[in-house]
Amino acid sequence: MLKHANIPSTHHAFKPSRVSLSAEFLAVLDSTTGIRPVNASNVSATRRQKPRRQTKASASAASKTLTRKVNRAQAQKNDGGIHSSRAAESEDSEAVSQDWEIDLWAHANLDWSDEAPDLKSIHSKMRTDESNPAKKKNARVQDLTSEFVFGYFKSLRLVDKGICVVDEASKKFRNLKELSLTGNLIHEFDAQNLTQDLQVLHLNANKLLTCPDVSSLTSLLHLGIGFNSIDSILSFTPSKTLMSLDLSGNDLCNLAETANVLESISNLQILALLRNPLYFIESYRKSIVAKLPKLTVLDDINVSVNERSSTAPPPDQSTVVSPPPIVSEDVLLLVSLQEMTGLQAPSIEPPTDSRPPDEITFHFEASLSAYSNNNSLFSCSEPVVWTPDLLDVASSVIVTLPITKMARDAFLGPITLKLFQRRYTHTPVLSGSALNLSAADRPGTGNSTYSKAAVSRPVSPSKPAAAAAGPAKKGGAADKGKKLGVTGKGKKEEEVQYVKSVSLESEVAKAEISLRPFLDGNKTVQGDYHLERAANEDSTSVVPTLVATLRASIKLHPSELERTGATKVYAL
C-alpha cells in the first residue's frame, strides 16, 4: 500500500549534508506525484494502520457536501419534499468521487522521467478505487511496493539536486537505461552501484577530478563527463561498448596523451573535446581525426571525407603509417584594427609665437580582461598623428598564449581595446642651454624632439634694414657669420630650439570584444564596435558616451601569410 503526501513536499529546505541518489529519487517522487512507496514486508502492517487522515481536498469536498445537504433540506421544506431519496444518494455519491478528482500535483513538473506520468496515473487510479466503496474490494495495492517503484523506471534525469553519492540502494533501479545526474556535487563515482544494463550516463558539471571507472557497465553507449575538473584521462577505463564520449569543458592540456588514450576506445564514433585547453592547439582536430579511424563527429561537426583523406596514409603503402608526433603549440591570436570613424577633431590652439603648434596622436592598447597574468597588456597600434582628412589606425599584431587552463579561461572574458590620446607641446630652449640637457631630452632621443628657429636681434636704427639685409659676397663676412653664428659686425644671432614632449596622455574611450565565440568553435570574431567613454562620477547620466566606431577582427590561428603581415608579436 502507498502513503501519499497531503501537500507537495518541501524537502529541499532540509537536505542532509550528503544527498544520495536513492534518497533524492524518493524525495522528487513524493514532491511531484505524492507517491511514498513502502517495503513489501511492511504492507500488512500498513493496512492495519489507522484510517487515512482527511486531506485538505477531502475536507473541502465534505464541506461542499454538507452545504448541499442543508440546501436540499431547505428546498424540500419549501417545495413539499419533491427531491427523492434516490436523487439525494446520487448527489452524495458524486460528491465522494469529486474528492479524488482534485489533483494536488496537477502542475508538477514530471520531466525528470519518461515513466513518471504513467506511474502517477496508476497511483491516482488506485487512490480512487481505494476510496470508492463499490471498487475497494478490487483494489490492488499490494503490487506498488518500493521494489516495484524502483524497478518501474527506465530513465531518470535528476539535474541540479545536490546529489553527492550514488549509493548502494541505487542497485534497485534494475531496469534503468538512462541516468542523468548533471549539475550535482558528485566527487567520486562508483559504477558498481548501477545496473550493468545502463546505456546512457550523464555526469556533466559535477566535481569529478578523474575519469570514473565505467568498465562494469557492459552496455554503456554514451558517457558524458564534460565540465568537470579532469586534467588527465591516462587512467580512464571505458566500457568496450562505448560509442559516444563527452569530455568538453575540462582541463585537458596534453594533446598527445589524450589522443593516445582515446585511440584505445575501438568503437568511438562521437567525441566532444570543446573548451579544453588542448582544443586551442592549431593541429588539434587533424591529430584527433588521424588517431580515431571510426570517428564520425568531432565537437558537433561531422568529419568530412576530405578531412579523413587528408589524414590517411598514402594508398601505395602496404603498412599503416602512424600520424606524425603531436608537438605542443601556443594559442595564436591575430588582432587586427581596420578603420575608425566618427572621432571628433581635438581642439588645437594656434601658437602665439614662432613655436610649432601642438601635435596630437592616437594609439590603441589592448588587454585580455580574464587573463590573470600581470603581463596581459599589449599595444596593438603605433601612434598616429591627428589629421583632419584621414586617421589611419590600420594595424595587426600577434598574441601568443601557452596551452594552459589560464589561457583557456581568458576566453571567458572580453579583450578590451582602449584608445589613448597624447598631446605634444614645444618648449623653447636656447642653444647654449641645450648643452645642459640630459641624454633623454636631446634631439633624436625619447619622446622629445627639437625644432630650430633663428631669432635675430633688432637692427640698429642708425643703419637701414635694407643695408643690414644686403647681399654679401661669397666667402664674405655675412656668409661667415651664418656659419659661426654672427651677423654683420659681430652681432650674434640667437638660435632657438624647441623640445617636443608629451604634456598630456589620457584614455579617450574603450571597446570590449567578446572572446566566447572561440569557446563555441568559431575561428574569427569581427565587427564594428562602439568606442565609449564612461559617464563622469559627477554626471547625473549613467549612459556612456559614444566617441567613435572601430572596425576590428580577432582570428584564432591565422594563416602563415597573415602572420607575416603582423607588425609585432607579444608573448603573454
Side-chain angles (χ1 to χ4, degrees), residues 442-463:
R442 291 178 183 175
T445 61
N447 291 326
S448 302
T449 57
Y450 278 75
S451 57
K452 299 179 180 180
V455 180
S456 301
R457 292 183 179 180
V459 180
S460 174
S462 60
K463 296 183 180 180

Tab-separated table of all heavy atoms in Angstrom, residues 442-463:
chain	number	residue	atom	x	y	z
A	442	ARG	N	67.705	65.080	-25.386
A	442	ARG	CA	68.428	65.640	-26.521
A	442	ARG	C	67.781	65.233	-27.832
A	442	ARG	O	67.006	64.278	-27.880
A	442	ARG	CB	69.890	65.179	-26.479
A	442	ARG	CG	70.648	65.814	-25.321
A	442	ARG	CD	72.068	65.327	-25.246
A	442	ARG	NE	72.743	65.897	-24.082
A	442	ARG	CZ	73.952	65.573	-23.713
A	442	ARG	NH1	74.646	64.678	-24.412
A	442	ARG	NH2	74.492	66.138	-22.647
A	443	PRO	N	68.113	65.944	-28.891
A	443	PRO	CA	67.473	65.674	-30.181
A	443	PRO	C	67.636	64.217	-30.594
A	443	PRO	O	68.700	63.632	-30.473
A	443	PRO	CB	68.198	66.624	-31.135
A	443	PRO	CG	68.707	67.720	-30.258
A	443	PRO	CD	69.026	67.104	-28.953
A	444	GLY	N	66.520	63.648	-31.094
A	444	GLY	CA	66.549	62.292	-31.640
A	444	GLY	C	66.430	61.203	-30.611
A	444	GLY	O	66.592	60.042	-30.936
A	445	THR	N	66.182	61.551	-29.322
A	445	THR	CA	66.061	60.514	-28.287
A	445	THR	C	64.737	60.679	-27.569
A	445	THR	O	64.220	61.783	-27.406
A	445	THR	CB	67.201	60.623	-27.273
A	445	THR	OG1	67.114	61.901	-26.637
A	445	THR	CG2	68.549	60.473	-27.932
A	446	GLY	N	64.181	59.568	-27.084
A	446	GLY	CA	62.981	59.591	-26.264
A	446	GLY	C	61.790	60.154	-26.986
A	446	GLY	O	61.646	60.050	-28.206
A	447	ASN	N	60.888	60.803	-26.208
A	447	ASN	CA	59.678	61.411	-26.759
A	447	ASN	C	59.874	62.880	-27.054
A	447	ASN	O	58.927	63.586	-27.358
A	447	ASN	CB	58.513	61.237	-25.777
A	447	ASN	CG	58.087	59.794	-25.672
A	447	ASN	OD1	58.151	59.072	-26.650
A	447	ASN	ND2	57.664	59.387	-24.471
A	448	SER	N	61.097	63.368	-26.918
A	448	SER	CA	61.377	64.782	-27.143
A	448	SER	C	62.165	64.944	-28.427
A	448	SER	O	63.133	64.234	-28.679
A	448	SER	CB	62.169	65.362	-25.976
A	448	SER	OG	61.468	65.193	-24.765
A	449	THR	N	61.757	65.894	-29.240
A	449	THR	CA	62.480	66.228	-30.472
A	449	THR	C	62.686	67.722	-30.517
A	449	THR	O	61.990	68.487	-29.835
A	449	THR	CB	61.686	65.756	-31.698
A	449	THR	OG1	60.392	66.368	-31.661
A	449	THR	CG2	61.529	64.239	-31.703
A	450	TYR	N	63.635	68.080	-31.337
A	450	TYR	CA	63.979	69.506	-31.435
A	450	TYR	C	63.512	70.069	-32.763
A	450	TYR	O	63.587	69.412	-33.790
A	450	TYR	CB	65.504	69.687	-31.344
A	450	TYR	CG	66.022	69.684	-29.935
A	450	TYR	CD1	66.125	68.503	-29.217
A	450	TYR	CD2	66.404	70.877	-29.323
A	450	TYR	CE1	66.595	68.494	-27.933
A	450	TYR	CE2	66.888	70.870	-28.040
A	450	TYR	CZ	66.991	69.689	-27.342
A	450	TYR	OH	67.470	69.687	-26.067
A	451	SER	N	63.065	71.303	-32.719
A	451	SER	CA	62.860	72.088	-33.931
A	451	SER	C	63.579	73.412	-33.734
A	451	SER	O	63.633	73.924	-32.617
A	451	SER	CB	61.366	72.317	-34.180
A	451	SER	OG	60.782	72.952	-33.068
A	452	LYS	N	64.151	73.923	-34.803
A	452	LYS	CA	65.000	75.107	-34.689
A	452	LYS	C	64.356	76.307	-35.372
A	452	LYS	O	63.676	76.168	-36.379
A	452	LYS	CB	66.372	74.855	-35.333
A	452	LYS	CG	67.138	73.698	-34.672
A	452	LYS	CD	68.454	73.489	-35.356
A	452	LYS	CE	69.222	72.336	-34.708
A	452	LYS	NZ	70.525	72.108	-35.364
A	453	ALA	N	64.604	77.476	-34.821
A	453	ALA	CA	64.157	78.727	-35.436
A	453	ALA	C	65.176	79.808	-35.086
A	453	ALA	O	65.598	79.919	-33.941
A	453	ALA	CB	62.767	79.126	-34.926
A	454	ALA	N	65.583	80.603	-36.087
A	454	ALA	CA	66.567	81.664	-35.865
A	454	ALA	C	65.852	82.940	-35.484
A	454	ALA	O	64.936	83.379	-36.175
A	454	ALA	CB	67.398	81.883	-37.122
A	455	VAL	N	66.264	83.559	-34.381
A	455	VAL	CA	65.677	84.810	-33.914
A	455	VAL	C	66.811	85.843	-33.834
A	455	VAL	O	67.724	85.703	-33.022
A	455	VAL	CB	65.004	84.634	-32.539
A	455	VAL	CG1	64.408	85.954	-32.075
A	455	VAL	CG2	63.947	83.554	-32.616
A	456	SER	N	66.786	86.866	-34.703
A	456	SER	CA	67.849	87.891	-34.740
A	456	SER	C	67.482	89.055	-33.848
A	456	SER	O	66.304	89.373	-33.669
A	456	SER	CB	68.057	88.393	-36.179
A	456	SER	OG	68.412	87.306	-37.001
A	457	ARG	N	68.494	89.663	-33.313
A	457	ARG	CA	68.264	90.876	-32.538
A	457	ARG	C	67.834	92.007	-33.473
A	457	ARG	O	68.185	92.025	-34.640
A	457	ARG	CB	69.546	91.265	-31.804
A	457	ARG	CG	69.913	90.273	-30.713
A	457	ARG	CD	71.145	90.733	-29.976
A	457	ARG	NE	71.488	89.796	-28.920
A	457	ARG	CZ	72.525	89.947	-28.107
A	457	ARG	NH1	73.337	91.018	-28.254
A	457	ARG	NH2	72.752	89.080	-27.156
A	458	PRO	N	67.152	93.031	-32.987
A	458	PRO	CA	66.705	94.140	-33.848
A	458	PRO	C	67.896	94.888	-34.449
A	458	PRO	O	68.946	95.032	-33.834
A	458	PRO	CB	65.916	95.031	-32.881
A	458	PRO	CG	65.542	94.125	-31.742
A	458	PRO	CD	66.649	93.128	-31.631
A	459	VAL	N	67.693	95.340	-35.691
A	459	VAL	CA	68.742	96.106	-36.379
A	459	VAL	C	68.834	97.500	-35.775
A	459	VAL	O	67.827	98.099	-35.404
A	459	VAL	CB	68.430	96.187	-37.887
A	459	VAL	CG1	69.503	96.986	-38.621
A	459	VAL	CG2	68.320	94.785	-38.448
A	460	SER	N	70.034	98.020	-35.698
A	460	SER	CA	70.243	99.349	-35.108
A	460	SER	C	69.538	100.401	-35.945
A	460	SER	O	69.571	100.376	-37.172
A	460	SER	CB	71.743	99.645	-35.043
A	460	SER	OG	71.943	100.957	-34.621
A	461	PRO	N	68.924	101.415	-35.294
A	461	PRO	CA	68.199	102.447	-36.056
A	461	PRO	C	69.111	103.288	-36.929
A	461	PRO	O	68.666	103.888	-37.899
A	461	PRO	CB	67.564	103.303	-34.955
A	461	PRO	CG	67.570	102.437	-33.738
A	461	PRO	CD	68.740	101.543	-33.868
A	462	SER	N	70.399	103.344	-36.635
A	462	SER	CA	71.297	104.174	-37.427
A	462	SER	C	71.614	103.574	-38.775
A	462	SER	O	72.141	104.231	-39.645
A	462	SER	CB	72.608	104.414	-36.649
A	462	SER	OG	73.228	103.154	-36.389
A	463	LYS	N	71.263	102.253	-38.949
A	463	LYS	CA	71.528	101.597	-40.217
A	463	LYS	C	70.232	101.100	-40.823
A	463	LYS	O	69.422	100.504	-40.129
A	463	LYS	CB	72.492	100.425	-40.026
A	463	LYS	CG	73.859	100.860	-39.545
A	463	LYS	CD	74.788	99.680	-39.434
A	463	LYS	CE	76.168	100.123	-38.950
A	463	LYS	NZ	77.099	99.009	-38.836
